[in-house]
């Protein structure tokens, strides 16, 4: 799901949880996983529909902060 869509879900209080996890395709990178209240899960994707991946946890956290999130679970 794209950043604007995530912002809209957050504003509607439809995001149940946010997790930062190792990328399934490259364990040296991190991805952000969102879960909606209805149980659907999805990754944050770019405007060209590529999963957003981050070299550091700090960068992933900065992205979540820019989307208005105050907390996330980190799984490593």
């Amino acid at each position: 799901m794209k950043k604007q869509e995530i912002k809209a879900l957050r504003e509607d209080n439809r995001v149940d949880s946010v997790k930062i996890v190792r990328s399934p395709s490259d364990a040296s990178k991190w991805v952000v996983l969102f879960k909606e209240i209805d149980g659907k899960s999805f990754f944050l994707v770019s405007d060209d529909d590529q999963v957003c991946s981050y070299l550091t946890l700090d960068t992933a956290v900065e992205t979540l902060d820019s989307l208005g999130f105050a907390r996330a679970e980190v799984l490593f």
Side-chain angles (χ1 to χ4, degrees):
M1 194 166 279
K2 297 178 182 175
K3 289 181 180 182
Q4 293 299 68
E5 296 169 308
I6 297 292
K7 282 184 180 181
L9 284 178
R10 186 190 55 76
E11 290 169 0
D12 290 341
N13 294 317
R14 293 182 44 210
V15 177
D16 181 49
S17 65
V18 181
K19 296 179 181 176
I20 302 172
V21 299
R22 296 260 183 205
S23 171
S25 63
D26 184 347
S28 69
K29 295 182 181 177
W30 300 91
V31 295
V32 179
L33 180 67
F34 297 92
K35 183 176 178 184
E36 285 186 78
I37 290 175
D38 64 4
K40 295 178 188 173
S41 295
F42 46 90
F43 291 107
L44 180 63
V45 297
S46 64
D47 289 334
D48 59 353
D49 293 324
Q50 299 296 315
V51 173
C52 295
S53 61
Y54 305 94
L55 293 175
T56 67
L57 281 172
D58 288 340
T59 308
V61 169
E62 288 171 7
T63 298
L64 288 173
D65 184 46
S66 74
L67 294 171
F69 290 95
R71 66 178 62 132
E73 185 177 4
V74 177
L75 303 175
F76 54 95

